[in-house]
Every structure is written in structure tokens, then in C-alpha cells.
């Protein structure tokens, strides 16, 4: 069997893993990425990721640094306003709402929304021209032996790889994390989210709208026009059985239910894509490093899809890991000092974010009238107290 030598081996071919490969490659490191499956880069293909992500300013800056933003910019929709709507009863009735403006902080936008499959498409295109990055799809991480001097990885095809650093970006069920002996804390909510694309008659005006009711938020995130009509990506959280029933529902009935759930804020909604289901959990790795191993993205943390924190937190992992690698230089790459610093700095931020989103999800999904009143009170306080509003917006924007 063949043996390869590289500086960095990345396990995982999702957005986080591919962005890591591009980032380390652009930083000058010989990088090998392995993934059981190639990325699905067309929105109408089987298995495509129909979720969207609002990429906040640190993520956009990273994409600019690694030469990806030029590929994505044309289809990125700026998010200039976040509208939060509190509703009760069914069909939902609007009780109150607030708008958070990026211009309050002197910024034009909170972030830029992109379909996840479109980001994967851009990454695949840009990575083709990255000479010191090798992509091996159809091959997975199997096992590893770590030493002070480096790590030897066995792949699923029997080949081996000698590396200075292994980066685990292989998802919530990470084989690398398990091989490193790192446990996880997991919270299951019994919720699932539906992700899909809709068209609507009213323009979204670059406003992202989160509508709260029992079960979780219904979020409309702006997209470029589709078929000559305004369009938005939707993330709709519900108890698992309800989400599954909605996913099976005939289109006409589903459109009626989702239009009711949206309170017709953008007019009647029309389904423009398949509906994809995703389980909702919180998960946090007990630590972010082991000998010669760094844990990042969903291998390190899983956060419910609230406030655009999930993938942006993953890219914050990558930004720090890349910067620490550059500071360590080739002699210190993957060494104990570099990885301890990564664990220390990212660990505290991840714990705070996972805890905050967990509490927020429990409050916003509750059918309990007292909890719903707490939700309304919290929304008002978060907006109406200027210092609180500005602080929350800075955190939400990734500052």
C-alpha cells in the first residue's frame, strides 16, 4: 500500500473541511484532504445541502483572504436588517416585533447569505487551482498513531499518510475525534428543522426575519430573485414528528401551512425546492486537541440553527488554527504549544456560544405561556436598551 507524506491532513469534505484545505494551502502548507464523499455542488442534485448560511464579517474576510469571495460574491445577498417577530396561537398572530439595523453599528450589513451548496460549488472551483492541496474523495480516515514527532494515519483504502497535524472536520460523528479519545456532551431536543427555498410576491428588502412561536423559529433569509420573483431560504424548526409530517405533506397544503406560519409577512409563500430534514442537537467536544490533532467545526461543536452561529463558529475555529499554525512555523506545526493555545482560546468561546443558544432554544420553542412572555420580554429588552442591543449585535456579527 502507498504511503504519502504531507504537512496537514484534513478529514472531512464539507464547507469547513474544504475551506480549511484552501486556507492552509494558501498559507503555504502541503495539505491532503480525505472524505468518503465528494461535495454535492448543484442545488437540484440528490443530497444537496439546501440550507443557507449568513456568513458574518470574519467569515467574509477569510473568504477574501483565500481567494474564494470573488467566486461567491455575485450570488451573496447582504443582510442589512434582522427582524424578530413574536407570535402566539395558531394560526400565528403577531404580538410584537423589533428590527435590528446593521447601520446602528456603522455597518452596511450583518452578513451575506449564501446557499450551502453554492459555497461548496465555489470551493470546488477554487481548489482545482490550488497546487499544494490534494483532495481524495471516496477515501476516509480509518485510524492513527500519534507521536511527538508526527502522526501516521491509516486510510480506508489501506494507504497511509504521515503528517505533522491532523485536522478533524469530519462532522458531529467524527472518527478522528473518537480515535483521539475525546468525548462529547450531547443535548437532544426532539426537534428537527426543515430547510427549503421559497418564492414570494413581496420583496424581502435584504431583511432577515425570525418568527417565533412554539416549536422553534421560522426564519426567512434573503436570496437573489428566482424565476423573476423575490426568494428566500427558510429554516423551520419543529418537534420531530411535526417536522416529518410537514416534510411528507402535499405541496399545496404545505404551502398553506408555511404561509400561515410566516404570518404572510412576505405574502403567500411558494415552494421552490425540495424539503430537507435535519436533526437539532447541541454538542460540544470535551476538548479541542490531542497529540498532533486539532478538532474543529461540527467535530468540535454542534449548535441549533439560530442566529447564524453554527458555521460561523466553525470558521472562527479555522481562522485561529490557521493563524496559530503560521505563528508556530513549520517547526512548531501541530506541536503541543500550538494545540494547547488553540484549545484554550476556542474552548471558552465555544462553551459560551453553545450554552447561550441552548438556553435561547429552550425559551423560544416552549409552548408554556410564561415562557412565551419571557421570550417577548427578552426581545423587547434586547432591542429597546441601546447598550444591550449594540452589545448583542456586535457578538452576533462575530466581533
Amino acid at each position: 500500500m502507498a504511503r504519502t507524506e504531507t504537512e496537514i491532513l484534513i478529514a472531512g469534505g464539507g464547507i469547513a473541511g474544504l475551506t480549511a484545505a484552501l486556507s492552509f494551502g494558501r498559507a503555504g502548507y502541503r495539505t491532503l484532504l480525505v472524505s468518503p464523499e465528494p461535495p454535492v455542488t448543484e442545488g437540484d442534485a440528490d443530497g444537496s445541502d439546501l440550507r443557507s448560511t449568513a456568513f458574518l464579517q470574519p467569515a467574509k474576510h477569510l473568504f477574501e483572504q483565500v481567494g474564494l469571495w470573488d467566486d461567491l460574491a455575485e450570488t451573496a445577498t447582504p443582510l442589512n436588517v434582522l427582524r424578530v417577530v413574536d407570535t402566539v396561537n395558531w394560526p400565528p398572530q403577531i404580538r410584537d416585533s423589533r428590527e435590528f439595523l446593521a447601520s446602528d453599528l456603522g455597518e452596511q450589513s450583518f452578513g451575506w447569505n449564501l446557499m450551502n451548496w453554492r459555497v461548496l460549488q465555489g470551493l470546488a472551483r477554487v481548489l482545482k487551482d490550488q497546487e499544494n492541496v490534494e483532495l481524495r474523495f471516496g477515501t476516509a480516515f480509518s485510524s492513527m498513531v500519534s507521536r511527538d514527532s508526527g502522526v501516521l494515519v491509516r486510510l480506508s483504502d489501506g494507504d497511509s499518510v504521515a503528517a505533522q497535524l491532523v485536522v478533524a472536520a469530519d462532522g458531529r460523528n467524527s472518527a478522528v475525534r473518537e480515535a483521539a479519545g475525546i468525548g462529547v456532551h450531547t443535548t437532544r431536543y426532539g426537534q428537527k428543522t426543515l430547510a427549503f427555498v421559497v418564492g414570494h410576491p413581496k420583496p424581502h428588502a435584504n431583511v432577515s426575519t425570525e418568527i417565533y412561536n412554539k416549536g422553534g423559529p421560522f426564519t426567512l433569509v434573503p436570496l437573489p430573485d428566482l424565476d423573476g420573483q423575490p426568494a428566500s431560504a427558510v429554516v423551520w424548526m419543529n418537534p420531530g414528528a411535526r417536522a416529518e409530517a410537514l416534510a411528507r405533506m402535499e405541496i399545496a397544503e404545505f404551502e398553506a401551512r408555511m404561509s400561515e406560519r410566516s404570518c404572510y409577512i412576505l405574502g403567500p409563500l411558494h415552494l421552490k425546492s425540495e424539503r430537507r430534514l435535519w436533526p437539532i442537537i447541541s454538542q460540544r467536544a470535551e476538548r479541542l486537541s490531542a497529540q498532533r490533532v486539532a478538532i474543529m467545526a461540527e467535530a468540535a461543536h454542534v449548535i441549533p440553527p439560530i442566529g447564524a452561529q453554527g458555521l460561523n463558529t466553525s470558521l472562527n475555529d479555522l481562522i485561529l488554527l490557521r493563524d496559530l499554525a503560521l505563528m508556530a512555523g513549520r517547526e512548531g506545526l501541530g506541536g503541543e504549544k500550538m494545540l494547547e493555545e488553540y484549545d484554550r482560546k476556542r474552548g471558552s468561546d465555544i462553551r459560551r456560544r453553545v450554552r447561550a443558544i441552548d438556553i435561547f432554544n429552550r425559551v423560544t420553542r416552549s409552548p408554556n405561556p410564561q415562557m412565551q412572555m419571557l421570550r417577548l420580554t427578552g426581545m423587547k429588552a434586547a432591542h429597546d436598551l441601546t447598550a444591550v442591543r449594540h452589545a448583542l449585535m456586535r457578538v452576533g456579527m462575530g466581533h
Side-chain angles (χ1 to χ4, degrees):
M1 296 296 179
R3 175 166 169 168
T4 302
E5 292 196 2
T6 189
E7 291 177 299
I8 298 173
L9 183 140
I10 298 168
I15 291 175
L18 291 170
T19 306
L22 181 58
S23 299
F24 286 118
R26 286 291 173 97
Y29 289 103
R30 285 180 292 118
T31 304
L32 170 63
L33 180 142
V34 297
S35 174
E37 301 290 340
V40 180
T41 59
E42 298 295 336
D44 56 359
D46 289 344
S48 64
D49 190 343
L50 296 179
R51 295 173 295 179
S52 71
T53 297
F55 289 96
L56 306 177
Q57 293 187 16
K60 177 176 180 278
H61 185 52
L62 173 65
F63 288 165
E64 289 171 336
Q65 288 176 329
V66 300
L68 178 62
W69 187 250
D70 285 347
D71 189 286
L72 301 178
E74 187 176 341
T75 52
T77 306
L79 309 178
N80 301 338
V81 178
L82 172 61
R83 174 169 50 197
V84 181
V85 181
D86 188 82
T87 73
V88 291
N89 304 323
W90 186 270
Q93 299 172 316
I94 295 176
R95 184 162 56 169
D96 211 335
S97 66
R98 293 291 189 275
E99 290 190 349
F100 297 81
L101 283 65
S103 58
D104 271 5
L105 297 180
E107 303 284 357
Q108 183 176 353
S109 302
F110 287 108
W112 292 262
N113 196 52
L114 283 152
M115 296 300 295
N116 285 6
W117 67 263
R118 174 68 183 88
V119 180
L120 289 166
Q121 184 185 77
L123 282 162
R125 279 202 287 249
V126 174
L127 277 163
K128 284 180 181 178
D129 299 324
Q130 191 59 47
E131 291 182 359
N132 54 340
V133 175
E134 180 185 353
L135 305 175
R136 289 193 198 175
F137 298 120
T139 305
F141 169 93
S142 182
S143 63
M144 65 183 176
V145 177
S146 299
R147 299 184 178 91
D148 289 342
S149 57
V151 57
L152 184 65
V153 175
R154 181 73 64 182
L155 302 179
S156 59
D157 60 5
D159 287 356
S160 62
V161 180
Q164 294 297 106
L165 172 66
V166 172
V167 176
D170 52 343
R172 59 186 67 183
N173 300 314
S174 170
V176 177
R177 185 189 65 221
E178 183 177 347
I182 298 174
V184 293
H185 303 282
T186 303
T187 302
R188 303 187 186 280
Y189 302 101
Q191 292 170 286
K192 291 185 177 180
T193 188
L194 275 170
F196 50 93
V197 175
V198 297
H200 39 81
K202 297 181 182 178
H204 51 60
N206 299 111
V207 178
S208 180
T209 303
E210 292 187 358
I211 306 168
Y212 289 96
N213 198 282
K214 65 181 181 180
F218 181 100
T219 305
L220 290 151
V221 191
L223 291 175
D225 287 359
L226 186 63
D227 300 328
Q229 185 181 41
S232 295
V234 175
V235 176
W236 186 2
M237 292 170 61
N238 275 289
R242 173 62 173 163
E244 290 171 3
L246 288 165
R248 295 190 301 266
M249 201 173 279
E250 293 292 330
I251 290 178
E253 185 181 357
F254 180 75
E255 289 182 335
R257 297 291 81 74
M258 70 173 172
S259 296
E260 284 180 332
R261 182 64 180 82
S262 74
C263 300
Y264 293 90
I265 282 173
L266 297 177
L269 305 179
H270 299 287
L271 190 63
K272 294 291 186 178
S273 74
E274 294 183 30
R275 291 162 276 182
R276 297 278 162 77
L277 274 172
W278 302 85
I280 301 301
I281 66 170
S282 282
Q283 186 166 281
R284 180 176 59 79
E286 291 177 350
R287 62 184 193 278
L288 301 181
S289 66
Q291 189 177 48
R292 294 285 170 183
V293 176
I295 312 295
M296 65 166 281
E298 286 205 341
H301 48 78
V302 182
I303 303 174
I306 295 172
Q309 294 303 300
L311 192 45
N312 284 282
T313 301
S314 299
L315 296 179
N316 286 342
D317 299 343
L318 172 58
I319 291 166
L320 178 62
L321 192 59
R322 180 205 57 183
D323 290 350
L324 289 172
L326 288 171
M327 286 188 286
R330 282 186 159 78
E331 291 299 315
L333 177 66
E336 184 177 354
K337 180 180 178 183
M338 171 189 162
L339 293 176
E340 282 183 350
E341 185 77 350
Y342 172 69
D343 190 15
R344 183 179 65 81
K345 287 189 173 179
R346 288 303 300 144
S348 58
D349 179 69
I350 288 166
R351 285 190 292 273
R352 286 194 302 269
R353 290 179 191 273
V354 170
R355 190 181 304 118
I357 295 297
D358 171 75
I359 294 169
F360 192 79
N361 185 37
R362 292 177 188 277
V363 171
T364 58
R365 74 183 180 130
S366 175
N368 183 290
Q370 280 102 354
M371 292 293 276
Q372 291 185 350
M373 184 56 66
L374 177 63
R375 182 182 69 202
L376 176 63
T377 303
M379 181 189 76
K380 290 178 176 178
H383 178 275
D384 298 351
L385 300 172
T386 303
V388 175
R389 181 173 76 248
H390 286 180
L392 288 172
M393 287 166 64
R394 288 189 188 96
V395 171
M397 293 171 77
H399 294 320

